[in-house]
Amino acid sequence: YVVMVALPVLTCLTAYYQSLQFVIDREMNSQASLAQVGLEQVELSLQGADQYAATLMSLQSFNSWLAVDASPKNILTSRMKALLGSLPAFRDSSGLISRSYIYSASSDSILDKNSGYLNLPLHYDKQFALEGYDFDAWRALLRDHRAACFLPSAPDARGRAVLYSRRVSYGVRQGRVVFYLDTARLLELFHRVNAYAPKGFLALYDRDGALLYTDAETEATALFQQYGAFSGYTAASVEGENMLLCAASLPAYGWTLYIATPRAHFIESAMQISLGILWRLLPLLLISTLLALLLLRNSHRPLRQALNHLPNQQSQTLNPFKFVQQQVDLLAETNRRQEQALRESRGELRE
């Protein structure tokens, strides 16, 4: 009867842990799928940016502008005007890339389809301090020789964006085209929901593990060094908080995306499933309890019947099993004395 009572309880506990695992697996797989869909949309936007850079390098007017230095100014101005007249506008249908501009290292100048020609030092503070880098650091980034790289906005930037910097060249003349990836649109692409706030977060890393963007209130920089570019999900501890970390990757551009969700987020759903199971098992629990009580009552009946046939002796214990043992010992002692008396009687008769 102990098993009959314990079985529903154990069933409920097992149902809870299985429900928790089911909820976690379902949610994490859903997150991974949605994140992968979001990354595929990002990839399409970045491929469009690459195609735009290739289109620029095919323009004779662009190559002419890229080859000229800052003096004489009239030549630079005429080539700039020629390029602006033929410069195609960049359009991203997903809305992820919000703006772009082109940099020429030879003339140390920038062309923007909307703003036109801009001298780099003169217009830095007014137009291009958005990234949050100081002038020298920003200029060094624009003169980077890597074919393509991603850069985060600096922590003190006036706006948040991920920068995609793409090299464009004409012979030894170098330049870059810089695209702004809107972080608000990134959150939409990855289906972020308020249910994970405030402790849940998203973090985006480049192929070297540098943090490009996060909406975390906690420190997410070192997570990539600890967990790397894994697939699926894993348990993680972030500043003492138990998290489930879902990862998705974009190999073509070296991105790794983490979506962190507090483990406590899943407990409520698991409890709801477990309570549903408990309500269904409640009749079984009541029936098993009644059966256990009935079996307990019936199991004492033979014992009580046996006690009724025993001599009415004063017992020193309230335990019925010990009482039976005392009575059995008493009968054995009485039987031993009777046998001893019988032997003594036989001895007297022989004499």
Side-chain angles (χ1 to χ4, degrees), residues 159-172:
R160 297 299 305 275
V162 176
L163 309 178
Y164 179 40
S165 178
R166 189 77 164 74
R167 185 180 65 197
V168 287
S169 60
Y170 175 66
V172 297

Side-chain angles (χ1 to χ4, degrees), residues 256-311:
T256 298
L257 174 72
Y258 285 173
I259 298 178
T261 308
R263 187 179 179 87
H265 171 74
F266 303 101
I267 293 179
E268 182 178 354
S269 297
M271 286 296 295
Q272 291 176 354
I273 296 175
S274 300
L275 287 174
I277 296 174
L278 177 61
W279 281 114
R280 290 175 175 83
L281 289 177
L282 189 59
L284 177 61
L285 179 61
L286 294 175
I287 292 172
S288 62
T289 303
L290 292 174
L291 287 175
L293 293 174
L294 183 62
L295 289 174
L296 183 63
R297 177 181 178 84
N298 291 337
S299 65
H300 288 172
R301 184 176 297 172
L303 183 59
R304 287 195 298 269
Q305 291 174 351
L307 291 177
N308 291 334
H309 292 86
L310 293 176

Side-chain angles (χ1 to χ4, degrees), residues 64-128:
S64 298
W65 171 70
L66 200 64
V68 71
D69 56 24
S71 60
K73 190 169 183 179
N74 61 331
I75 298 177
L76 175 61
T77 302
S78 65
R79 294 189 181 182
M80 175 269 296
K81 289 180 178 179
L83 176 56
L84 284 176
S86 60
L87 187 65
F90 177 78
R91 293 182 178 87
D92 178 28
S93 59
S94 71
L96 175 62
I97 298 178
S98 57
R99 58 178 293 229
S100 64
Y101 60 82
I102 309 164
Y103 169 74
S104 170
S106 299
S107 58
D108 205 22
S109 60
I110 281 177
L111 273 178
D112 185 298
K113 180 66 177 177
N114 297 322
S115 304
Y117 167 78
L118 298 168
N119 176 266
L120 186 68
L122 182 62
H123 293 275
Y124 166 75
D125 288 328
K126 182 179 179 181
Q127 294 279 31
F128 299 113

